[in-house]
Amino acid sequence: MSRFFSEKYAGLEPYTPGEQPQDRAYIKLNTNESPFPPSVSVAAAVKEESELLQLYCDPECRELREEMSKVFGVNSKNIMMVNGSDEALNFAFMAFADQKRPLVFPDITYGFYPVFAQLNRIPYTEIPLKSDFSINPADYTAINKTVVIANPNAPTGLFLGLDAIEQIVSSNPDNAVIIDEAYIDFGGESALPLTAKYDNLLVIGTFSKSRSLAGARLGFAFGNEKLIADLNTIRYSTNPYNVNRLTARAGIAALKDNGYYMNNCRIIEKNREKTAAALKDLGFTVIPSKANFIFAKSDRIGGEKLYSALKEKGILVRRFNKERIADFCRITVGTDEQMTLLTDAIKTIFKEMNL
Ligand SMILES: *Cc1c(COP(=O)(O)O)cnc(C)c1O
């Protein structure tokens, strides 16, 4: 730390992104990216747009929001586009939480929530998930705080039904409820239709997981017109050009090919179920997932050991050094071929270690 660093950030513990190693080619099953490339029209659209890079992008993202409207059936005034959904989360925390409206989220969830809370000096409470890692909706009912829930949750992959979400939203009418749907396209059901009924519901999504654009940084928020206006107040006070030209164009092209991405999601779901079954056959405890990853642990090998042994064999998975989940690994669901390599590698590890 330099002696110039502001005291207000002195204790800040930054988010630790999953490894993006450059030393060798790994089978990357650690950051929930898509194993499939963007649809072919994306590259062509980006190339064409690159000839206009001397010009600023449209801060309102009008064309992109129009395309979003068509795909999601939402009025464009109910949409804000962002530089990755992490930015929407930060803006939403800035806009809808403070000393008077502290945050509440599960103890096991997306690691960025406590970081954004600390960054913005918002008090927060972590509510323990039940022993099976599910969320108890009663814990959030009429809680009178700004609620943030990832649905499906990360890193568990568990999906919370819309009845429970609606109960949480309707019982906290004086607070925003933020539902982070980064993984919604892999078998969950979006809370988006509820935004028409509840003015306190914000639904956040991303192109990073189901639409193969993690590297482009594109996310979005859906909600009541006034919520979106508040978020735009924050956005225009930080970076109105948050979605650059190339990314906006890539997003438009991707939305026009929506069927390609949704079909990829069905392939991932199939690979997920097959891999989950294979891991159970190997004795793993597997949490039922509606996401593009599997959260699993083995009684035969600790989480850290399995992570290291797989890394040695060229397969990267994610592990969290956190009390309740230290023996779990979070494994991104890739292609059928990648998943076979994963389960074969685990069998080899068990054999080599006499487990
Ligand atoms: C990946 C992820 C995000 C953010 O993704 P972006 O790449 O910033 O759009 C948000 N929430 C959860 C739970 C995630 O896993």
Side-chain angles (χ1 to χ4, degrees), residues 84-86 89 110 113 150 154 180 182-183 206 208-209 217-218:
S85 61
D86 289 336
L89 290 165
Y110 188 37
Y113 302 157
D180 176 357
Y183 301 103
T206 178
S208 295
K209 312 305 176 18
R217 314 303 302 126
L218 186 60

PDB file of all heavy atoms in Angstrom, residues 84-86 89 110 113 150 154 180 182-183 206 208-209 217-218, ligand 1:
ATOM      1  N   GLY A  84     -20.517  -5.947 -18.204  1.00  0.00           N
ATOM      2  CA  GLY A  84     -20.524  -7.146 -17.361  1.00  0.00           C
ATOM      3  C   GLY A  84     -21.513  -6.949 -16.225  1.00  0.00           C
ATOM      4  O   GLY A  84     -21.689  -5.827 -15.730  1.00  0.00           O
ATOM      5  N   SER A  85     -22.173  -8.009 -15.807  1.00  0.00           N
ATOM      6  CA  SER A  85     -23.221  -7.830 -14.799  1.00  0.00           C
ATOM      7  C   SER A  85     -22.636  -7.442 -13.445  1.00  0.00           C
ATOM      8  O   SER A  85     -23.342  -6.913 -12.595  1.00  0.00           O
ATOM      9  CB  SER A  85     -24.120  -9.059 -14.697  1.00  0.00           C
ATOM     10  OG  SER A  85     -23.384 -10.188 -14.327  1.00  0.00           O
ATOM     11  N   ASP A  86     -21.348  -7.678 -13.234  1.00  0.00           N
ATOM     12  CA  ASP A  86     -20.709  -7.194 -12.004  1.00  0.00           C
ATOM     13  C   ASP A  86     -20.939  -5.689 -11.845  1.00  0.00           C
ATOM     14  O   ASP A  86     -21.160  -5.191 -10.741  1.00  0.00           O
ATOM     15  CB  ASP A  86     -19.192  -7.459 -12.033  1.00  0.00           C
ATOM     16  CG  ASP A  86     -18.861  -8.940 -11.897  1.00  0.00           C
ATOM     17  OD1 ASP A  86     -19.691  -9.693 -11.345  1.00  0.00           O
ATOM     18  OD2 ASP A  86     -17.771  -9.349 -12.345  1.00  0.00           O
ATOM     19  N   LEU A  89     -24.348  -5.034 -10.553  1.00  0.00           N
ATOM     20  CA  LEU A  89     -24.418  -5.303  -9.107  1.00  0.00           C
ATOM     21  C   LEU A  89     -23.860  -4.129  -8.315  1.00  0.00           C
ATOM     22  O   LEU A  89     -24.462  -3.658  -7.350  1.00  0.00           O
ATOM     23  CB  LEU A  89     -23.622  -6.571  -8.780  1.00  0.00           C
ATOM     24  CG  LEU A  89     -24.228  -7.882  -9.291  1.00  0.00           C
ATOM     25  CD1 LEU A  89     -23.203  -9.008  -9.237  1.00  0.00           C
ATOM     26  CD2 LEU A  89     -25.460  -8.262  -8.478  1.00  0.00           C
ATOM     27  N   TYR A 110     -22.072 -15.596  -4.319  1.00  0.00           N
ATOM     28  CA  TYR A 110     -21.080 -14.962  -5.180  1.00  0.00           C
ATOM     29  C   TYR A 110     -20.143 -14.057  -4.359  1.00  0.00           C
ATOM     30  O   TYR A 110     -20.609 -13.177  -3.622  1.00  0.00           O
ATOM     31  CB  TYR A 110     -21.826 -14.153  -6.238  1.00  0.00           C
ATOM     32  CG  TYR A 110     -20.966 -13.587  -7.336  1.00  0.00           C
ATOM     33  CD1 TYR A 110     -19.872 -14.281  -7.853  1.00  0.00           C
ATOM     34  CD2 TYR A 110     -21.265 -12.340  -7.887  1.00  0.00           C
ATOM     35  CE1 TYR A 110     -19.107 -13.749  -8.873  1.00  0.00           C
ATOM     36  CE2 TYR A 110     -20.510 -11.807  -8.915  1.00  0.00           C
ATOM     37  CZ  TYR A 110     -19.427 -12.516  -9.404  1.00  0.00           C
ATOM     38  OH  TYR A 110     -18.678 -11.983 -10.413  1.00  0.00           O
ATOM     39  N   TYR A 113     -20.328 -10.013  -3.747  1.00  0.00           N
ATOM     40  CA  TYR A 113     -21.302  -9.250  -2.942  1.00  0.00           C
ATOM     41  C   TYR A 113     -20.650  -8.574  -1.737  1.00  0.00           C
ATOM     42  O   TYR A 113     -20.826  -7.365  -1.545  1.00  0.00           O
ATOM     43  CB  TYR A 113     -22.493 -10.123  -2.514  1.00  0.00           C
ATOM     44  CG  TYR A 113     -23.276 -10.778  -3.647  1.00  0.00           C
ATOM     45  CD1 TYR A 113     -24.037 -11.913  -3.412  1.00  0.00           C
ATOM     46  CD2 TYR A 113     -23.251 -10.265  -4.933  1.00  0.00           C
ATOM     47  CE1 TYR A 113     -24.757 -12.530  -4.433  1.00  0.00           C
ATOM     48  CE2 TYR A 113     -23.962 -10.877  -5.959  1.00  0.00           C
ATOM     49  CZ  TYR A 113     -24.712 -12.007  -5.699  1.00  0.00           C
ATOM     50  OH  TYR A 113     -25.410 -12.613  -6.710  1.00  0.00           O
ATOM     51  N   ALA A 150     -28.435 -14.728  -5.661  1.00  0.00           N
ATOM     52  CA  ALA A 150     -28.067 -15.294  -6.958  1.00  0.00           C
ATOM     53  C   ALA A 150     -28.964 -16.499  -7.188  1.00  0.00           C
ATOM     54  O   ALA A 150     -29.040 -17.387  -6.343  1.00  0.00           O
ATOM     55  CB  ALA A 150     -26.598 -15.716  -6.961  1.00  0.00           C
ATOM     56  N   ALA A 154     -24.580 -19.387  -6.732  1.00  0.00           N
ATOM     57  CA  ALA A 154     -23.203 -19.793  -7.009  1.00  0.00           C
ATOM     58  C   ALA A 154     -22.477 -19.801  -5.667  1.00  0.00           C
ATOM     59  O   ALA A 154     -22.705 -18.889  -4.869  1.00  0.00           O
ATOM     60  CB  ALA A 154     -22.550 -18.797  -7.953  1.00  0.00           C
ATOM     61  N   ASP A 180     -29.826 -12.000  -9.018  1.00  0.00           N
ATOM     62  CA  ASP A 180     -28.695 -12.120  -9.944  1.00  0.00           C
ATOM     63  C   ASP A 180     -28.853 -13.426 -10.719  1.00  0.00           C
ATOM     64  O   ASP A 180     -28.629 -14.514 -10.190  1.00  0.00           O
ATOM     65  CB  ASP A 180     -27.412 -12.104  -9.109  1.00  0.00           C
ATOM     66  CG  ASP A 180     -26.150 -12.313  -9.934  1.00  0.00           C
ATOM     67  OD1 ASP A 180     -26.249 -12.533 -11.156  1.00  0.00           O
ATOM     68  OD2 ASP A 180     -25.056 -12.258  -9.329  1.00  0.00           O
ATOM     69  N   ALA A 182     -27.236 -14.792 -13.343  1.00  0.00           N
ATOM     70  CA  ALA A 182     -26.112 -15.101 -14.248  1.00  0.00           C
ATOM     71  C   ALA A 182     -26.263 -16.486 -14.899  1.00  0.00           C
ATOM     72  O   ALA A 182     -25.793 -16.703 -16.014  1.00  0.00           O
ATOM     73  CB  ALA A 182     -24.791 -15.013 -13.485  1.00  0.00           C
ATOM     74  N   TYR A 183     -26.917 -17.408 -14.173  1.00  0.00           N
ATOM     75  CA  TYR A 183     -26.986 -18.802 -14.657  1.00  0.00           C
ATOM     76  C   TYR A 183     -28.398 -19.246 -15.019  1.00  0.00           C
ATOM     77  O   TYR A 183     -28.688 -20.440 -15.069  1.00  0.00           O
ATOM     78  CB  TYR A 183     -26.403 -19.734 -13.581  1.00  0.00           C
ATOM     79  CG  TYR A 183     -24.975 -19.391 -13.264  1.00  0.00           C
ATOM     80  CD1 TYR A 183     -24.641 -18.698 -12.107  1.00  0.00           C
ATOM     81  CD2 TYR A 183     -23.952 -19.711 -14.152  1.00  0.00           C
ATOM     82  CE1 TYR A 183     -23.333 -18.357 -11.820  1.00  0.00           C
ATOM     83  CE2 TYR A 183     -22.638 -19.367 -13.884  1.00  0.00           C
ATOM     84  CZ  TYR A 183     -22.337 -18.689 -12.718  1.00  0.00           C
ATOM     85  OH  TYR A 183     -21.042 -18.356 -12.459  1.00  0.00           O
ATOM     86  N   THR A 206     -26.437 -11.629 -17.634  1.00  0.00           N
ATOM     87  CA  THR A 206     -25.134 -11.462 -18.280  1.00  0.00           C
ATOM     88  C   THR A 206     -25.028 -12.251 -19.581  1.00  0.00           C
ATOM     89  O   THR A 206     -25.715 -13.265 -19.745  1.00  0.00           O
ATOM     90  CB  THR A 206     -24.000 -11.906 -17.324  1.00  0.00           C
ATOM     91  OG1 THR A 206     -22.745 -11.782 -17.996  1.00  0.00           O
ATOM     92  CG2 THR A 206     -24.158 -13.351 -16.877  1.00  0.00           C
ATOM     93  N   SER A 208     -22.097 -13.430 -20.250  1.00  0.00           N
ATOM     94  CA  SER A 208     -20.816 -14.114 -20.016  1.00  0.00           C
ATOM     95  C   SER A 208     -20.930 -15.630 -19.961  1.00  0.00           C
ATOM     96  O   SER A 208     -19.986 -16.332 -20.313  1.00  0.00           O
ATOM     97  CB  SER A 208     -20.203 -13.647 -18.689  1.00  0.00           C
ATOM     98  OG  SER A 208     -19.858 -12.291 -18.749  1.00  0.00           O
ATOM     99  N   LYS A 209     -22.056 -16.158 -19.495  1.00  0.00           N
ATOM    100  CA  LYS A 209     -22.126 -17.595 -19.250  1.00  0.00           C
ATOM    101  C   LYS A 209     -22.857 -18.302 -20.385  1.00  0.00           C
ATOM    102  O   LYS A 209     -22.318 -19.162 -21.033  1.00  0.00           O
ATOM    103  CB  LYS A 209     -22.805 -17.873 -17.905  1.00  0.00           C
ATOM    104  CG  LYS A 209     -22.299 -17.047 -16.699  1.00  0.00           C
ATOM    105  CD  LYS A 209     -20.858 -17.128 -16.438  1.00  0.00           C
ATOM    106  CE  LYS A 209     -20.140 -16.332 -15.375  1.00  0.00           C
ATOM    107  NZ  LYS A 209     -20.758 -15.685 -14.275  1.00  0.00           N
ATOM    108  N   ARG A 217     -17.507  -8.531 -22.010  1.00  0.00           N
ATOM    109  CA  ARG A 217     -18.058  -7.806 -20.859  1.00  0.00           C
ATOM    110  C   ARG A 217     -19.398  -7.154 -21.210  1.00  0.00           C
ATOM    111  O   ARG A 217     -19.459  -5.986 -21.607  1.00  0.00           O
ATOM    112  CB  ARG A 217     -17.075  -6.730 -20.327  1.00  0.00           C
ATOM    113  CG  ARG A 217     -15.637  -7.164 -20.155  1.00  0.00           C
ATOM    114  CD  ARG A 217     -15.482  -8.360 -19.240  1.00  0.00           C
ATOM    115  NE  ARG A 217     -16.017  -8.147 -17.920  1.00  0.00           N
ATOM    116  CZ  ARG A 217     -16.918  -8.962 -17.327  1.00  0.00           C
ATOM    117  NH1 ARG A 217     -17.363 -10.042 -17.948  1.00  0.00           N
ATOM    118  NH2 ARG A 217     -17.367  -8.705 -16.123  1.00  0.00           N
ATOM    119  N   LEU A 218     -20.451  -7.920 -21.103  1.00  0.00           N
ATOM    120  CA  LEU A 218     -21.780  -7.369 -21.375  1.00  0.00           C
ATOM    121  C   LEU A 218     -22.796  -7.976 -20.403  1.00  0.00           C
ATOM    122  O   LEU A 218     -22.914  -9.190 -20.281  1.00  0.00           O
ATOM    123  CB  LEU A 218     -22.198  -7.659 -22.826  1.00  0.00           C
ATOM    124  CG  LEU A 218     -23.518  -7.010 -23.286  1.00  0.00           C
ATOM    125  CD1 LEU A 218     -23.469  -5.490 -23.181  1.00  0.00           C
ATOM    126  CD2 LEU A 218     -23.843  -7.422 -24.735  1.00  0.00           C
TER     127      LEU A 218
HETATM  128  C1  LIG B   1     -20.202 -14.770 -13.402  1.00  0.00           C
HETATM  129  C2  LIG B   1     -21.150 -14.140 -12.452  1.00  0.00           C
HETATM  130  C3  LIG B   1     -21.518 -12.796 -12.542  1.00  0.00           C
HETATM  131  C4  LIG B   1     -20.871 -11.763 -13.380  1.00  0.00           C
HETATM  132  O1  LIG B   1     -20.562 -11.985 -14.604  1.00  0.00           O
HETATM  133  P1  LIG B   1     -20.106 -10.827 -15.593  1.00  0.00           P
HETATM  134  O2  LIG B   1     -19.070 -11.503 -16.400  1.00  0.00           O
HETATM  135  O3  LIG B   1     -19.596  -9.655 -14.804  1.00  0.00           O
HETATM  136  O4  LIG B   1     -21.344 -10.484 -16.335  1.00  0.00           O
HETATM  137  C5  LIG B   1     -22.481 -12.304 -11.689  1.00  0.00           C
HETATM  138  N1  LIG B   1     -23.041 -13.072 -10.763  1.00  0.00           N
HETATM  139  C6  LIG B   1     -22.702 -14.358 -10.615  1.00  0.00           C
HETATM  140  C7  LIG B   1     -23.355 -15.155  -9.552  1.00  0.00           C
HETATM  141  C8  LIG B   1     -21.731 -14.924 -11.442  1.00  0.00           C
HETATM  142  O5  LIG B   1     -21.350 -16.182 -11.251  1.00  0.00           O
END
